[in-house]
Amino acid sequence: MIKASGARAAGVDEVTDADFDTEVLGAARPVLVEFTADWCPPCRQLAPVLSAVAEEERDRLRVVQIDVDINPVITARYGVLAMPTLILFRAGEPVRSMVGARPKRRLLEEIADALL
């Protein structure tokens, strides 16, 4: 499901409680998931960074967002308490977790080892 929201990054799909396991855990390539909320200013700040990363790394990485307010099951499953939280999944497992907005260069550095 793709839904427009205030913190939505252009070119980044939105996943839900219903399709998370298929779209993220079952993905063939690494997936960077942003746990976000419409009311979250740092999430809006991170949106253009995620859009740029999704575009630049589209062959090696999928970037998706999940709205914590309407998807409580997945949010609770991964213990997300602050927004934005970014979790990088590879082969169905979370391999890196980051909290807070960050510049694109720093984000790419933090996830580089998972993209090899």
Side-chain angles (χ1 to χ4, degrees):
M1 173 179 145
I2 298 175
K3 173 184 86 65
S5 68
R8 177 124 158 73
V12 175
D13 291 336
E14 188 159 322
V15 296
T16 66
D17 282 347
D19 65 8
F20 185 89
D21 289 355
T22 301
E23 296 291 326
V24 176
L25 304 184
R29 59 188 163 152
V31 181
L32 180 64
V33 179
E34 181 202 18
F35 289 81
T36 188
D38 288 347
W39 48 263
C40 166
C43 299
R44 287 192 292 276
Q45 179 185 1
L46 189 59
V49 171
L50 291 179
S51 294
V53 169
E55 174 66 23
E56 290 174 22
E57 297 294 336
R58 70 181 168 274
D59 294 333
R60 300 191 302 162
L61 174 73
R62 181 171 183 211
V63 180
V64 300
Q65 294 177 297
I66 186 165
D67 187 316
V68 299
D69 291 327
I70 56 176
N71 297 286
V73 173
I74 298 301
T75 301
R77 180 192 294 174
Y78 293 101
V80 173
L81 300 174
M83 271 59 67
T85 291
L86 299 161
I87 301 179
L88 181 64
F89 289 83
R90 186 173 56 206
E93 296 294 325
V95 295
R96 169 129 334 155
S97 181
M98 303 151 278
V99 176
R102 60 228 322 109
K104 182 178 78 168
R105 186 173 72 200
R106 180 173 160 208
L107 177 57
L108 289 171
E109 289 170 357
E110 290 173 322
I111 63 173
D113 58 339
L115 299 182
L116 300 176

